[in-house]
Amino acid sequence: KQWYQRRVAVGTFFFFGGDFVQQYYFNEKINWTEAGMFGAIGALIGPLGVIWYRFLDRRFPGTSALAITKKLLCDEAMWGPAFAAIVFYILPLIETGKHDAAAT
């Protein structure tokens, strides 16, 4: 299906682009390896996010305050830690190749 390719492209674009803009603004020099790694994380997060939010919409249908609250709480309790683990553990692991990279 094309939704997967589109989500990979959008995730890559936004993560790569966000890191690129941040580096340009603060460093005025681009670390292309870092930007590429963020793009790779975006390629992973994009499709996973679609799958996750579709699950939430099926599990808690509707737009009532209660349904939205349930989606929000579930998102913060489950997707938030998973997203943080990807960004703060897996990215340094890819960058250094060491399991203790996140601790340094």
Side-chain angles (χ1 to χ4, degrees):
K1 293 182 177 180
Q2 288 188 353
W3 74 265
Y4 181 81
Q5 290 89 352
R6 284 193 303 266
R7 295 305 173 239
V8 167
V10 168
T12 301
F13 174 78
F14 279 111
F15 272 71
F16 178 87
D19 188 66
F20 175 85
V21 169
Q22 177 273 327
Q23 287 187 51
Y24 183 79
Y25 182 74
F26 289 106
N27 303 336
E28 296 181 4
K29 183 176 185 250
I30 306 301
N31 178 341
W32 293 104
T33 303
E34 180 181 313
M37 284 191 284
F38 270 96
I41 294 294
L44 174 68
I45 294 292
L48 289 178
V50 170
I51 293 166
W52 172 247
Y53 292 116
R54 284 182 180 172
F55 164 77
L56 286 180
D57 283 338
R58 282 191 312 272
R59 181 68 178 94
F60 307 110
T63 57
S64 69
L66 181 61
I68 292 172
T69 301
K70 288 178 181 180
K71 291 176 190 181
L72 179 66
L73 291 174
C74 202
D75 185 54
E76 289 300 315
M78 293 185 213
W79 181 250
F83 182 81
I86 290 169
V87 172
F88 294 113
Y89 183 76
I90 295 175
L91 189 63
L93 180 64
I94 292 169
E95 195 171 44
T96 65
K98 297 178 183 174
H99 287 288
D100 62 349
T104 58

